[in-house]
Amino acid sequence: MTPGAPFIVRKDGHLFIDQWAAKRVADQLGTPCFVYSKAALVHAWHQYADALEGTPHLICYAVKANSNLAILNLFAQLGAGFDIVSGGELARVLKAGGRADRVVFSGVGKTEAEMRAALYAGIKCFNIESPSELDRLNRVAGEMGKVAPISIRVNPDVDAKTHAHISTGKKENKFGIGYDMAPDVYAKALDLANIRITGIDAHIGSQVLDPEPLYAAMQRLLDLADRLMADGIPLHHISNGGGLGIQYKDEKTADIGAYVKRLRDMLGDRKLELLLEPGRSMVGNAGVLLTKVEVLKTAGEKNFCVIDAAMNDLARPAIYGAWHEIIAASPDSAPVRNWDVVGPVCESTDKLGEGRPMGISEGDLVAILSAGAYGMTMSSNYNTRPRAAEVLIDGEDAFVIRKREVIADLFRDEIIPERA
């Protein structure tokens, strides 16, 4: 068991998150429950921050990976910037104590209201993803009497060699502005009265295990940046995005320190601030989803372990066929069998894992590992299921950082109209 190590470990067959046994968390707070290790979060931050020491930089945590206020606040205290993709994420960052001037705003469909909120807050830059967006932002900024700082998200047409659903840097993807179009868009931006050019940006995908495509994208960005600056386009920062993958099973992942050193070497003596936008690699292996075994049943050759978590709690397996390690959180004398771990949602895709060897009984606690990224942020209330609680473990202390929803919460804002 390596995901989350050394902060999420087994001791005598019992799963521990830092100094708390998983069973103790579940007994006190119920299930399903997302549990995060503060020590693991801080460790992940320092893997980037220590490697970047001595280079002008900003680590912009990708909020979409895990947007809990307590986690955003922790990263803000450590000095993070934030990569956002909605006005809601901006509001979260500000509520959590993040600095607006450390926020970069990505996304292909920013609304006028979102632009206004970001301009009012004073964000670091908008990552522009289309000429139309550039025109809209110039108009909105002019109406507010402001100048909007922008970076253009360039689509470098580099294959990240990751799952098709999380690839973002190929020319057929919806993200960014085509590499060959970018110079003309920069030239246009230079002439707009309410636009100030600050940088150049790319992001080619998520869960990238082989860093070579990331280096290729960075080189294309640097080549373009050199051309732009030679043509009089002012650039102050460059961002290669995020996307480094984590170990879910037995994947070989990139060494973060070596990756950052390579980027620094490629940057050379260019006077550009280096921005990175990591998300999954900051939080993914810092969290687990604890869930209780409700029913064990056999149907033909299949053994089904029905748990109280479901695809509404952790959508990744249903969406991507993603693999998460699933283990018994405490020892059990039951014989080991291969179990299909499924939830109670009325969908055949409500399957968290197939053929998982465990010795378990009804009522036991099961842990789904590597659930710190895209767990709670992608969760829903499908089948009118309340969303799980979230807990942050800090050494000997455990803090509830999101209360468990109750059923009444789910229809609190719904209205049955009165008949005329």
Side-chain angles (χ1 to χ4, degrees):
M1 189 188 107
T2 53
F7 309 101
I8 300 171
V9 299
R10 283 187 190 269
K11 299 177 184 178
D12 299 323
H14 294 272
L15 180 68
F16 276 76
I17 301 96
D18 290 345
Q19 298 181 38
W20 276 65
K23 187 176 186 304
R24 179 184 176 195
V25 177
D27 286 347
Q28 292 191 19
L29 300 170
T31 56
C33 181
F34 286 96
V35 187
Y36 311 113
S37 161
K38 179 181 177 181
L41 296 167
V42 172
H43 174 75
W45 163 265
H46 280 290
Q47 285 190 291
Y48 284 98
D50 293 352
L52 285 161
E53 189 173 354
T55 295
H57 71 275
L58 182 61
I59 302 168
C60 295
Y61 167 66
V63 174
K64 61 182 174 289
N66 188 317
S67 60
N68 186 281
L69 293 180
I71 289 176
L72 300 183
N73 176 261
L74 172 61
F75 287 142
Q77 289 184 56
L78 291 169
F82 298 92
D83 170 48
I84 65 168
V85 294
S86 74
E89 288 189 347
L90 172 61
R92 279 186 170 274
V93 167
L94 299 179
K95 178 70 173 178
R99 286 173 46 178
D101 63 354
R102 290 173 174 256
V103 169
V104 297
F105 194 165
S106 303
V108 300
K110 306 176 188 73
T111 67
E112 289 191 16
E114 289 175 323
M115 290 176 175
R116 292 179 187 278
L119 285 165
Y120 179 80
I123 68 169
K124 182 178 180 67
C125 80
F126 294 84
N127 288 337
I128 297 298
E129 304 215 22
S130 69
S132 175
E133 180 189 347
L134 181 63
D135 288 334
R136 174 184 287 188
L137 180 60
N138 180 61
R139 176 176 55 79
V140 170
E143 291 169 355
M144 296 179 66
K146 293 183 177 292
V147 175
I150 67 108
S151 173
I152 289 179
R153 178 172 176 176
V154 176
N155 186 323
D157 194 23
V158 171
D159 186 356
K161 294 182 170 58
T162 186
H163 193 286
H165 291 179
I166 49 177
S167 174
T168 62
K170 297 175 70 177
K171 61 184 178 182
E172 61 263 32
N173 297 135
K174 69 179 183 180
F175 299 96
I177 291 172
Y179 191 85
D180 294 334
M181 289 178 55
D184 289 340
V185 180
Y186 270 106
K188 175 182 178 179
L190 192 61
D191 290 335
L192 294 176
N194 297 100
I195 295 294
R196 175 170 55 87
I197 298 169
T198 66
I200 186 169
D201 179 86
H203 176 69
I204 64 170
S206 183
Q207 186 55 12
V208 179
L209 299 172
D210 177 4
E212 288 302 322
L214 294 169
Y215 300 142
M218 182 65 168
Q219 188 59 59
R220 283 178 67 78
L221 273 189
L222 288 169
D223 292 344
L224 182 55
D226 289 342
R227 173 183 167 187
L228 293 168
M229 289 188 289
D231 289 342
I233 302 294
L235 297 178
H236 304 287
H237 75 255
I238 188 168
S239 173
N240 201 38
L244 283 184
I246 65 171
Q247 186 180 60
Y248 285 98
K249 187 178 182 183
D250 53 7
E251 304 94 332
K252 182 179 179 181
T253 60
D255 178 88
I256 292 174
Y259 169 70
V260 171
K261 182 180 184 303
R262 176 80 172 268
L263 294 184
R264 292 175 63 174
D265 290 345
M266 293 175 72
L267 186 61
D269 59 2
R270 296 176 180 87
K271 303 302 181 183
L272 293 171
E273 181 185 24
L274 178 61
L275 270 60
L276 295 179
E277 300 161 9
R280 186 193 312 263
S281 58
M282 297 272 279
V283 295
N285 278 332
V288 303
L289 174 58
L290 300 183
T291 175
K292 186 177 73 172
V293 177
E294 294 288 352
V295 174
L296 297 177
K297 60 179 285 188
T298 298
E301 297 180 355
K302 286 284 191 178
N303 298 312
F304 291 101
C305 170
V306 185
I307 56 177
D308 64 358
M311 63 185 288
N312 74 293
D313 299 297
L314 185 64
R316 295 185 68 252
I319 295 175
Y320 309 130
W323 198 99
H324 286 261
E325 185 173 354
I326 303 175
I327 62 172
S330 298
D332 190 299
S333 58
V336 174
R337 295 181 180 177
N338 288 329
W339 298 97
D340 281 12
V341 182
V342 301
V345 162
C346 290
E347 298 284 349
S348 295
T349 53
D350 184 21
K351 188 178 296 184
L352 285 301
E354 294 185 76
R356 304 308 178 85
M358 291 184 289
I360 50 174
S361 303
E362 292 182 356
D364 281 356
L365 183 66
V366 167
I368 303 174
L369 305 187
S370 307
Y374 305 106
M376 178 57 77
T377 54
M378 295 178 74
S379 65
S380 75
N381 296 122
Y382 186 45
N383 282 193
T384 308
R385 286 174 50 82
R387 288 186 297 172
E390 291 181 283
V391 178
L392 181 66
I393 304 295
D394 182 5
E396 295 181 352
D397 297 318
F399 301 95
V400 175
I401 58 174
R402 183 194 295 266
K403 295 178 181 178
R404 183 180 309 284
E405 287 180 337
V406 296
I407 291 174
D409 294 331
L410 308 190
F411 47 80
R412 178 185 55 225
D413 297 325
E414 297 179 30
I415 299 169
I416 300 174
E418 295 182 7
R419 294 187 180 276

